[in-house]
Amino acid sequence: MSATGTLAPPTVPASRRIAAVGLASASGVAVAVQSRINGELGVRLADGIAAAVVSFGLGLLVLLVLVPATPAGRRGLRDLRTALRDGSLRPWQCLGGLCGAFLVATQGLTVGTLGVAVFTVAVVAGQSASGVAVDQAGVGPAGRQPVTASRLAGAALTVLAVLLAVGDQLGDPGILVLALLPLLAGVGIAWQQAVNGRVRVAAGSALAATLVNFAVGTAALLVTFAVEAAVRGWPTGALPGESWLYLGGPIGIVFIAIAAAIVRFTGVLLLGLATIAGQIVGAVLLDLARPTAASHPGPATLAGAALTLVAVLVAALGPAPRR
């Protein structure tokens, strides 16, 4: 009981929060891999928007087969329609796919030039700041999350960590200007995770929520691609033959589904920080294992990755989010 005589909101069990943080970190590694794949696809097609359409479109096709084929998926779609009809879910809360589409488009447009690590630092900066604001506003299914000292410290340390990781690559003004796109995409990610979590709660199915995300994102990308093709013409690059270049969409399914399922246990900020930890570690490993002309991993990059993990730990050890 609280001092006013009302029941205090239940806290998230520590075991669930720890498991959710681990899943989020693993999905962050997958996002780093997706960034490299979609970046390379954008280079091959000589068109980042076309690469995003291919990535999101393939993900949508997989979900259009998978969701109706499962009882939970069919039930989720029915519950989703009911929630939209009775007003418990608002139509604007189904638009998280717009932010996902923008993120994938920026992967195809910028990773080939920036490299995965610099792309990640820009996304992280936007995501950390936006996660604090989204939690404070109560957009996600966990409701309003207090901006505690540990959460602010975790967000600040994360930004410092990724700046340390790629600081030697940020002196080029051209790179800074190009990095504005993933910066804006990072701002959108926190809002996307929050509203997708709302859709997941309404549907009772992470797969159904992911299908909504991909349907909205693919529609937005198709409109953008049609405008681009009308203005600039058809992409000059041919579809590559390597099968791994078409895995970006399926990887996105895993990432979106995990985020939609666990955001109610973590809040948006902690989910974002854990995902960031996976992203920066994955980006470093990719740039070390398969370096490109845009990637220059070194001791500072490794130190930044380690500091990122410390930042997530600081945020995770703070007060548990209330539901």
Side-chain angles (χ1 to χ4, degrees):
M1 297 287 285
S2 67
T4 59
T6 59
L7 288 175
T11 59
V12 177
S15 59
R16 288 192 178 184
R17 189 160 58 127
I18 292 171
V21 168
L23 281 173
S25 298
S27 70
V29 175
V31 171
V33 175
Q34 182 195 46
S35 297
R36 173 63 67 88
I37 291 172
N38 287 341
E40 180 65 23
L41 184 60
V43 171
R44 299 287 190 92
L45 296 177
D47 191 319
I49 300 298
V53 170
V54 171
S55 178
F56 242 77
L58 287 175
L60 178 61
L61 289 177
V62 171
L63 287 166
L64 286 174
V65 173
L66 184 61
V67 175
T70 61
R74 294 193 297 271
R75 184 170 59 251
L77 292 177
R78 290 194 300 268
D79 291 345
L80 185 60
R81 287 194 296 269
T82 300
L84 286 169
R85 283 198 302 266
D86 64 24
S88 57
L89 182 71
R90 304 297 178 86
W92 64 265
Q93 293 173 319
C94 297
L95 299 180
L98 295 177
C99 297
F102 184 57
L103 172 67
V104 173
T106 61
Q107 290 172 342
L109 289 167
T110 67
V111 168
T113 301
L114 297 176
V116 179
V118 176
F119 175 88
T120 300
V121 70
V123 172
V124 163
Q127 188 176 355
S128 298
S130 182
V132 174
V134 169
D135 266 348
Q136 179 65 16
V139 178
R144 290 190 65 182
Q145 301 293 303
V147 183
T148 62
S150 61
R151 286 171 169 254
L152 283 176
L157 280 175
T158 303
V159 175
L160 289 176
V162 291
L163 286 174
L164 173 62
V166 297
D168 58 340
Q169 301 179 54
L170 296 179
D172 186 344
I175 287 183
L176 290 177
V177 172
L178 193 59
L180 287 176
L181 287 176
L183 175 71
L184 293 174
V187 171
I189 286 176
W191 185 82
Q192 177 195 23
Q193 291 171 338
V195 295
N196 281 351
R198 292 275 187 180
V199 176
R200 191 267 172 214
V201 170
S205 165
L207 275 180
T210 307
L211 175 58
V212 172
N213 180 90
F214 270 79
V216 171
T218 301
L221 286 169
L222 285 173
V223 172
T224 304
F225 178 69
V227 173
E228 182 195 44
V231 174
R232 297 175 50 190
W234 200 256
T236 57
L239 286 172
E242 297 95 324
S243 58
W244 64 271
L245 288 171
Y246 301 98
L247 294 178
I251 290 174
I253 292 175
V254 175
F255 170 68
I256 297 300
I258 288 176
I262 67 177
V263 67
R264 67 190 190 279
F265 301 128
T266 62
V268 176
L269 177 59
L270 183 55
L271 171 62
L273 292 175
T275 303
I276 286 164
Q279 282 179 268
I280 196 69
V281 171
V284 168
L285 292 177
L286 278 172
D287 282 348
L288 286 173
R290 297 180 62 88
T292 67
S295 61
H296 307 281
T301 304
L302 299 177
L307 184 56
T308 306
L309 299 178
V310 173
V312 174
L313 184 61
V314 168
L317 291 178
R322 294 186 176 275
R323 292 185 291 174

